Amino acid sequence: MLQDIAQALAYAQQKDREDELGSFRSRFYFPRAPEGEMIYFCGNSLGLQPVGAEDSIQQELTDWRELAIGGYWQARNPWMSYPASLRGALARIVGCGEEEVTVMNALTVNLHLLLLSFYRPGGQRRKILMEAGAFPSDMYAVETQVRWHGYDPREAIIEVAPREGEKLIREEDILAAIDRSTDSLALVLIGGLNYYTGQFFDIQRITAAAHAAGALAGYDLAHAVGNVPLRLHDWEVDFAVWCSYKYLNGGPGAAGGAFVHRRHTTDPTIPRLGGWWGNDESSRFKMQKGFVPKATAEGWSMSTAQVFNMVCLRASLALFEEAGIERLQAKSRELTAYLASLLAPLEGPVFRVITPVEPDRRGAQLSLLFNDPERGRKVQRELQEEGVVTDYREPGVIRVAPAPLYNSFEDVYRFCHILGQLL
Ligand SMILES: *Cc1c(COP(=O)(O)O)cnc(C)c1O
């Protein structure tokens, strides 16, 4: 028995030595445990702090102190173009052109702003189709938008739920529901990767079905961005929003991101709420009437860039660039598959993994559903006491997310060993 454990640990350590991204771990701070560091599997809720974040903030403080207003043009990272300086890395992460992506506000705010442009109910066509069990903020956003337009959420929102006795939503059921609503559907809005189950939806297929039904398709990518492969432009997605503090490690309250497809960014007639930062740059400072939206995703920006909400994101994106998103995703698949393989013998009457088994249908997160939610909460508390950070979501789920940028195979091994002992 002890020999088995030693062998399993040696295997994990060997995998870590072979991992060409292994050195990135040392470029993040892990929370402290009574002895050493916590095992951190909560990067899907709040990514860790990049070691370089502090210097990056200091840089902006210095430039503000020494240059004041001049910092807009002369700071080392001029504030005027600060959001633009993040676009390249983000475009590679979500798979689009740089002019299709922007950083602004926060997720729910961006969702509302883009719904104002892309949920335009009228006549018969006024329904929104979404997944049952969406993240609460998304449910509230959709419910209140529908009411804002004067409609009844019970009538205007179509929810697609898992079948009786199942936990995941079948894509065929989403497609069928879209097909049934071709006369009444205005928008399909899906959480690209479900926060509770870890299910990653086939965005390309759902988008194509929405378009075939005469509707638009938007996505909340809070749990997908920086996690799973995305090709938003080629998939013809109309719009998407995300936050930057989960896998992107932008820090609490970091500015959120948004994608708008080029066919929309270049259409100045799309209704929107404007502000000077979304105005065409050549006329922005003329101080005249007449909003002329930029022909990019920034055409939905309103206000001066919130530089201090973007600094840590910038530091983290530099690490994504260095690691390469493809290499990260390749490691992520291995790491999550390793986690799944060590959890399999522990599954049974106490808990089971409800996240899809197929690597294309999930990202870095596995969701452990406890038969008895009380037991789930207890295990969550005990894990914390043992120096493991996971999180618990009602009903009954402990989410475990090894982030490939800073988690190791040894983390996974140690977690499963501790969990096995607790059970
Ligand atoms: C984390 C998350 C949010 C959070 O929204 P904020 O506006 O950043 O607070 C919203 N939707 C989903 C699906 C999330 O996972």
Side-chain angles (χ1 to χ4, degrees):
M1 180 65 186
L2 275 176
Q3 198 186 349
D4 287 353
I5 292 172
Q7 263 176 12
L9 179 59
Y11 172 80
Q13 290 168 337
Q14 179 61 28
K15 293 293 290 176
D16 286 333
R17 278 192 294 276
E18 289 163 10
D19 174 12
E20 45 183 15
L21 301 179
S23 66
F24 282 89
R25 181 183 180 81
S26 65
R27 298 168 75 181
F28 288 89
Y29 291 113
F30 283 72
R32 311 294 308 163
E35 300 149 42
E37 290 168 345
M38 306 285 277
I39 295 176
Y40 196 75
F41 281 151
C42 223
N44 58 331
S45 269
L46 184 71
L48 293 179
Q49 182 183 135
V51 169
E54 204 169 324
D55 284 348
S56 302
I57 292 180
Q58 193 54 53
Q59 177 73 47
E60 302 314 326
L61 284 172
T62 304
D63 287 345
W64 180 24
R65 186 180 67 215
E66 293 178 0
L67 302 167
I69 188 73
Y72 275 95
W73 297 273
Q74 279 125 35
R76 181 191 287 185
N77 313 302
W79 305 327
M80 206 65 189
S81 52
Y82 207 91
S85 73
L86 307 176
R87 287 195 309 218
L90 278 173
R92 280 181 279 284
I93 288 172
V94 302
C96 69
E98 287 193 26
E99 75 287 359
E100 292 176 305
V101 72
T102 193
V103 181
M104 58 183 188
N105 314 310
L107 191 162
T108 309
V109 176
N110 291 338
L111 180 57
H112 274 299
L113 291 179
L114 294 180
L115 284 172
L116 290 181
S117 287
F118 299 111
Y119 174 55
R120 308 280 309 153
Q124 280 306 309
R125 210 174 262 291
R126 58 192 193 212
K127 294 196 173 169
I128 296 191
L129 184 144
M130 62 194 303
E131 80 277 25
F135 193 84
S137 202
D138 302 30
M139 290 198 275
Y140 305 151
V142 170
E143 175 196 328
T144 53
Q145 283 265 339
V146 165
R147 284 191 206 283
W148 190 82
H149 285 284
Y151 299 121
D152 178 355
R154 281 168 308 185
E155 190 261 333
I157 301 173
I158 305 170
E159 280 193 352
V160 183
R163 292 188 189 180
E164 188 69 33
E166 299 185 5
K167 290 290 164 196
L168 304 174
I169 300 174
R170 297 198 193 188
E171 247 127 25
E172 64 205 81
D173 290 350
I174 297 179
L175 301 178
I178 293 173
D179 277 348
R180 278 196 302 275
S181 319
T182 45
D183 298 331
S184 58
L185 198 60
L187 179 70
V188 174
L189 181 74
I190 302 279
L193 195 145
N194 185 270
Y195 76 99
Y196 177 78
T197 63
Q199 177 178 11
F200 179 35
F201 290 101
D202 187 337
I203 293 176
Q204 185 172 24
R205 264 176 87 197
I206 293 171
T207 304
H211 290 169
L216 298 180
Y219 296 87
D220 179 335
L221 300 179
H223 284 271
V225 70
N227 178 17
V228 287
L230 298 167
R231 306 239 61 83
L232 299 185
H233 177 87
D234 292 346
W235 294 344
E236 301 280 346
V237 165
D238 292 289
F239 73 93
V241 291
W242 57 87
C243 49
S244 304
Y245 47 81
K246 294 175 180 170
Y247 292 99
L248 291 185
N249 316 311
F259 160 88
V260 181
H261 199 278
R262 192 177 299 142
R263 67 177 169 278
H264 301 307
T265 63
T266 51
D267 179 356
T269 66
I270 292 181
R272 69 187 88 192
L273 298 184
W276 73 325
W277 233 250
N279 199 81
D280 182 50
E281 260 154 68
S282 60
S283 56
R284 184 196 284 163
F285 284 98
K286 294 207 172 124
M287 307 308 194
Q288 287 169 348
K289 279 189 189 164
F291 177 65
V292 183
K294 284 189 187 182
T296 66
E298 267 192 347
W300 276 264
S301 299
M302 294 179 174
S303 293
T304 316
Q306 298 150 290
V307 169
F308 281 98
N309 282 350
M310 301 179 186
V311 175
C312 302
L313 175 60
R314 194 172 193 279
S316 171
L317 288 177
L319 298 177
F320 274 87
E321 289 282 272
E322 214 181 306
I325 189 77
E326 273 96 20
R327 282 205 299 175
L328 274 169
Q329 281 155 359
K331 174 178 172 186
S332 183
R333 281 181 176 229
E334 265 206 81
L335 203 56
T336 302
Y338 179 58
L339 173 62
S341 74
L342 295 188
L343 286 174
L346 303 176
E347 286 183 80
V350 178
F351 81 88
R352 66 192 169 90
V353 175
I354 56 169
T355 307
V357 175
E358 304 88 332
D360 288 340
R361 296 180 65 215
R362 70 183 185 200
Q365 167 193 334
L366 296 182
S367 299
L368 284 49
L369 176 66
F370 284 73
N371 258 333
D372 170 12
E374 189 44 53
R375 183 79 192 269
R377 284 189 286 268
K378 180 163 174 280
V379 170
Q380 164 69 18
R381 279 195 304 275
E382 290 169 346
L383 282 169
Q384 185 83 28
E385 284 158 18
E386 294 293 325
V388 179
V389 187
T390 51
D391 77 7
Y392 178 83
R393 284 286 176 273
E394 294 293 355
V397 159
I398 292 180
R399 304 187 299 177
V400 184
L405 201 48
Y406 47 73
N407 282 124
S408 65
F409 289 84
E410 185 172 340
D411 286 340
V412 170
Y413 172 77
R414 289 192 185 280
F415 163 74
C416 290
H417 184 64
I418 292 168
L419 180 67
Q421 288 183 324
L422 291 180
L423 295 173

